[in-house]
């Protein structure tokens, strides 16, 4: 069971799942995939938020990847309500 936080949106789980399964990617590529289904602009904004909570890392050139905390969240091992901004 996943424990999300008030600051999270519906797109966050889709983004994290996409990156966990497909590896590093850009918001544009995520928007073009069948899994995420949100606009590039919304995905980009959510990625930036997920970086501030250490669930994603920005690799540069618009590419994001999931962190160990992100993987723990997906596995239900981390309560996102306990995360603080970096």
């Amino acid at each position: 069971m996943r424990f999300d936080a008030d600051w999270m949106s519906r797109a966050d789980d889709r983004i994290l799942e996409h990156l966990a399964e497909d590896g590093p990617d850009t918001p544009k590529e995520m928007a073009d995939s069948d899994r995420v289904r949100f606009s590039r602009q919304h995905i980009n904004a959510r990625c930036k938020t997920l970086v501030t909570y250490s669930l994603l890392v920005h690799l540069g050139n618009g590419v994001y990847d999931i962190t160990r905390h992100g993987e723990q969240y997906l596995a239900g091992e981390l309560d996102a309500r306990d995360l603080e901004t970096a």
Side-chain angles (χ1 to χ4, degrees):
M1 176 179 212
R2 293 180 190 161
F3 301 96
D4 63 354
D6 292 339
W7 55 265
M8 296 182 83
S9 81
R10 290 184 325 149
D12 295 349
D13 280 11
R14 303 296 84 72
I15 292 167
L16 291 164
E17 290 164 355
H18 174 84
L19 295 173
E21 292 183 26
D22 296 340
D25 216 345
T26 65
K28 181 187 181 328
E29 294 299 319
M30 286 186 255
D32 291 343
S33 77
D34 290 334
R35 181 178 297 126
V36 182
R37 294 189 175 186
F38 290 90
S39 73
R40 180 196 57 79
Q41 294 87 351
H42 185 66
I43 294 168
N44 188 53
R46 295 312 306 161
C47 284
K48 289 178 181 180
T49 299
L50 292 169
V51 166
T52 65
Y53 286 95
S54 301
L55 295 174
L56 294 184
V57 61
H58 184 234
L59 301 176
N61 295 325
V63 178
Y64 293 89
D65 198 10
I66 192 167
T67 63
R68 180 72 183 126
H69 280 145
E71 292 170 348
Q72 290 173 324
Y73 166 75
L74 288 179
E77 299 168 357
L78 178 78
D79 188 335
R81 297 172 292 187
D82 295 334
L83 296 175
E84 296 182 13
T85 58

